[in-house]
Amino acid sequence: MSAPGARSSETRERILATAASEFAERGYAGTSIGDIAAKSGMGKGLVQYHFKAKADLAVAIVQATFAKAPFANLLDETVPLTGIAAIVASIRGVSGAFRDDVRVRAAVRLVREYQLIPVTFPTPYLGWMDKVAGSLREAMEAGEIPPGLDVEREGWHLVATFNGVQETSHRLTGREDLPERIEEMLARVLPVLGVTDVGKYLDV
Amino acid sequence: MSAPGARSSETRERILATAASEFAERGYAGTSIGDIAAKSGMGKGLVQYHFKAKADLAVAIVQATFAKAPFANLLDETVPLTGIAAIVASIRGVSGAFRDDVRVRAAVRLVREYQLIPVTFPTPYLGWMDKVAGSLREAMEAGEIPPGLDVEREGWHLVATFNGVQETSHRLTGREDLPERIEEMLARVLPVLGVTDVGKYLDV
């Protein structure tokens, strides 16, 4: 028999998993604590013992996904990539998470619906932009791209372009063509940065 | 005294103007027919004589904005631009409309909130992508860009990149930096298309 603490943390995880799938599917306005209780097969009282209000569930899901930097916990930090390889891996990693991880889809949808939700979410994008700018600095030092690039500005545009590709693929094909669109995006943005050996980084 | 038909159409326009500003500001879920009646200074009955339900107002605003092709009515068709100049003008025109036209902001927000609204909206993006692909074909024929470009694919990426720049600027600065970000975007995407004389098209 597990300790009461472990059991409580399992219950909490089960509630969060159900809530993520409801938020991802129906959005904040379309989801209720009652639905989450019914779908997770537990009483509403037990759900509310862990999360008093729907907004608390939204915050828990968003914070778990965007903990330190946005998506930081999605990237495999044990593979010590740097420079352009790190940027390419982070773009592919985030794109894969959008397709495969319901908590990421829930978090992104909740952050987009922030006007409906009575809590303050962390500002999206900034952490990832900062990480990309740091990798661009490494790439410059390693001679992968020419010197003199405004790394903050290029970081902004890489993240913004990813946002647009992700959202457009989501809206037009339910993200079915996202992996292909991401490779097309990389083939377009890497030369803009001055990467000369683009083929080295592409999945073709 | 104006004819009853003219007066009725003025009332309709006043309702739509108020509804657009409420939807743009508060979203679909945050707006009610009662609010719109109160803010436009008319009775709820008169509003409902013109628009039975909130969803009918949303449809009227979205259809007026995306009438033929998305944003077609925002572009000044009296200036007969073609090729790359037409693409640059349409990107700047749509970007300006996002900042300056509350009906466009309302329509875009409503289309983004489509999961909350019990009607079918026109699929976004496709009309504009098609228009951009046509302009790229003209640009190829005129020798502004090299032959052999996949114009549908490039049209997809131009619209997707615009979407990302617009949304990221919206989220981080309330679109304050959008004009500047759009010029930066053009400076990055035109060379990707093979435009050689990029400076000719940029506002610098």
Side-chain angles (χ1 to χ4, degrees):
Chain A
M1 193 190 134
S2 53
R7 204 146 116 219
S8 167
S9 125
E10 261 169 45
T11 305
R12 200 185 136 91
E13 278 308 301
R14 211 162 96 207
I15 297 168
L16 283 172
T18 310
S21 118
E22 292 293 296
F23 284 138
E25 179 79 13
R26 286 171 231 290
Y28 189 76
T31 299
S32 72
I33 293 258
D35 298 336
I36 295 168
K39 296 250 164 132
S40 60
M42 47 182 88
K44 201 171 155 184
L46 184 54
V47 173
Q48 284 179 315
Y49 169 79
H50 288 275
F51 299 96
K52 268 199 205 103
K54 187 165 72 162
D56 299 320
L57 276 159
V59 168
I61 287 169
V62 170
Q63 281 182 342
T65 304
F66 297 110
K68 294 159 212 155
F71 306 120
N73 48 333
L74 304 174
L75 306 174
D76 183 356
E77 303 280 1
T78 60
V79 183
L81 293 172
T82 60
I84 299 299
I87 293 171
V88 169
S90 87
I91 288 173
R92 287 206 189 105
V94 174
S95 155
F98 268 90
R99 273 173 60 107
D100 306 334
D101 187 334
V102 71
R103 292 206 195 189
V104 171
R105 286 201 298 278
V108 167
R109 182 158 180 183
L110 289 168
V111 168
R112 195 172 324 128
E113 295 175 352
Y114 71 102
Q115 287 133 319
L116 303 175
I117 308 174
V119 295
T120 304
F121 283 142
T123 305
Y125 314 139
L126 294 181
W128 197 20
M129 286 175 180
D130 199 51
K131 220 174 147 77
V132 170
S135 299
L136 285 171
R137 224 170 273 123
E138 289 169 354
M140 255 188 315
E141 280 157 22
E144 295 172 346
I145 54 176
L149 207 72
D150 182 334
V151 296
E152 267 82 27
R153 184 175 297 166
E154 299 307 324
W156 193 100
H157 279 278
L158 284 171
V159 170
T161 303
F162 172 84
N163 288 341
V165 168
Q166 186 286 121
E167 178 58 24
T168 306
S169 163
H170 167 48
R171 197 55 203 275
L172 296 181
T173 72
R175 297 198 184 95
E176 207 177 295
D177 68 356
L178 186 56
E180 181 191 334
R181 295 299 186 183
I182 288 292
E183 296 307 309
E184 291 171 3
M185 171 195 153
L186 291 171
R188 281 156 186 75
V189 299
L190 294 181
V192 170
L193 298 170
V195 174
T196 45
D197 191 6
V198 173
K200 188 177 141 189
Y201 299 103
L202 298 183
D203 243 13
V204 277
Chain B
M1 194 189 135
S2 53
R7 212 152 106 212
S8 168
S9 127
E10 261 169 47
T11 304
R12 202 184 135 88
E13 278 308 300
R14 211 164 93 206
I15 297 168
L16 283 173
T18 309
S21 116
E22 292 293 296
F23 284 138
E25 179 79 15
R26 286 171 231 290
Y28 188 76
T31 299
S32 73
I33 293 258
D35 299 335
I36 295 168
K39 294 249 166 136
S40 60
M42 45 182 87
K44 201 171 155 184
L46 184 55
V47 173
Q48 284 179 314
Y49 169 79
H50 288 275
F51 300 96
K52 268 199 205 103
K54 186 166 72 162
D56 300 318
L57 274 160
V59 169
I61 287 170
V62 169
Q63 280 181 342
T65 302
F66 296 111
K68 295 159 214 156
F71 307 117
N73 50 334
L74 302 174
L75 306 175
D76 184 356
E77 302 281 0
T78 60
V79 183
L81 294 172
T82 60
I84 299 298
I87 293 172
V88 169
S90 87
I91 288 174
R92 285 206 191 107
V94 173
S95 154
F98 268 89
R99 274 173 60 107
D100 306 333
D101 187 335
V102 70
R103 291 207 195 189
V104 171
R105 286 200 299 277
V108 168
R109 182 158 177 180
L110 290 167
V111 168
R112 195 173 323 131
E113 294 176 353
Y114 71 102
Q115 288 132 319
L116 301 175
I117 308 175
V119 294
T120 304
F121 284 141
T123 306
Y125 314 140
L126 295 180
W128 196 21
M129 286 174 180
D130 198 50
K131 220 176 148 78
V132 170
S135 300
L136 284 171
R137 224 170 271 120
E138 290 169 353
M140 253 186 319
E141 281 158 21
E144 296 172 347
I145 54 175
L149 207 72
D150 181 335
V151 296
E152 267 83 25
R153 183 175 298 167
E154 298 308 324
W156 193 99
H157 279 279
L158 283 172
V159 171
T161 303
F162 172 84
N163 289 341
V165 168
Q166 187 285 120
E167 178 59 24
T168 306
S169 163
H170 168 47
R171 195 58 203 273
L172 296 182
T173 72
R175 299 198 181 94
E176 206 178 297
D177 68 357
L178 185 56
E180 180 190 334
R181 295 299 185 185
I182 288 293
E183 296 308 309
E184 290 172 3
M185 171 196 153
L186 291 171
R188 281 157 184 74
V189 298
L190 295 181
V192 170
L193 299 169
V195 174
T196 45
D197 192 5
V198 172
K200 189 176 142 191
Y201 300 102
L202 297 183
D203 243 14
V204 277

